[in-house]
Amino acid sequence: MQRFIQELTKGLWREIPPFRVMLGLCPVLAVTKNAENGLGMGVAVLFVLVLSNVIISLVRNFIPKKVRIACFITISATLVVAVELLMQAFTYPLYLQLGIFVPLIVVNCIILGRAEAFASKNPVHLALADGIGMGLGFTMSLTFLGAIRELLGAGTLFGKFVMWEGFEPFTIMVEAPGAFICLGLILALMNYMSHRQLRKRNEAIPDSPLPGCGSCTGCSGGRA
């Protein structure tokens, strides 16, 4: 159970795909003009990632090693087609906004990376936890980045105006350069927070005493 929870939570911060392991940056930068696009793409990737991890883990012992990558792509491609059909049926406007990036989920580094590095080497329950954790981390990342860009670039959040009257949008934030600016700032903030956490942990560990008997302070660590 402890291993399951560990695999489930690692993708939410420690190994969050776009901001820690730098995977799947193409859709991260391209479709996050607003929070809705980020959430939609994230949910699509979550669906494909969870099911592909589970299926690959189930059949991992039957796939010849020489053709494993081709098999992984075939499995993910089948799931992506299902996602496309569902989006066309229920969220067609969103499907049009995401455009080519929906079918490109097939070759997303996250999908193939988790299939090769984890799902093909672990049992089903751990592959499921890995898929859910990584997928949720990816979804939250895209939604968060899209929300920042939409808020600063248009003054809206999920299409509703939320800023004060007279707010002047930074239109560059909803353009291509804005994606790189926001991503860089987020990476810098996360690195700063991680550095602070590491420093606090190091400060909490007491310094090791110098070798010696420790019974007096008359000598310097047992040395005359």
Side-chain angles (χ1 to χ4, degrees), residues 53-138:
N53 265 21
V54 171
I55 294 172
I56 289 169
S57 179
L58 285 171
V59 302
R60 69 185 191 278
N61 295 325
F62 304 100
I63 299 177
K65 291 184 178 180
K66 293 183 179 180
V67 296
R68 66 185 188 280
I69 300 299
C71 292
F72 296 164
I73 293 176
T74 302
I75 292 170
S76 62
T78 304
L79 295 171
V80 169
V81 170
V83 168
E84 284 191 89
L85 294 175
L86 289 172
M87 293 185 71
Q88 290 177 15
F90 298 105
T91 58
Y92 191 66
L94 177 62
Y95 173 78
L96 292 179
Q97 291 185 51
L98 297 180
I100 189 63
F101 293 100
V102 176
L104 283 179
I105 294 175
V106 175
V107 290
N108 192 306
C109 297
I110 299 175
I111 307 296
L112 296 179
R114 299 321 298 170
E116 172 69 13
F118 196 89
S120 62
K121 302 174 183 177
N122 288 277
V124 177
H125 69 287
L126 294 181
L128 174 64
D130 178 79
I132 294 175
M134 288 292 178
L136 286 177
F138 187 76

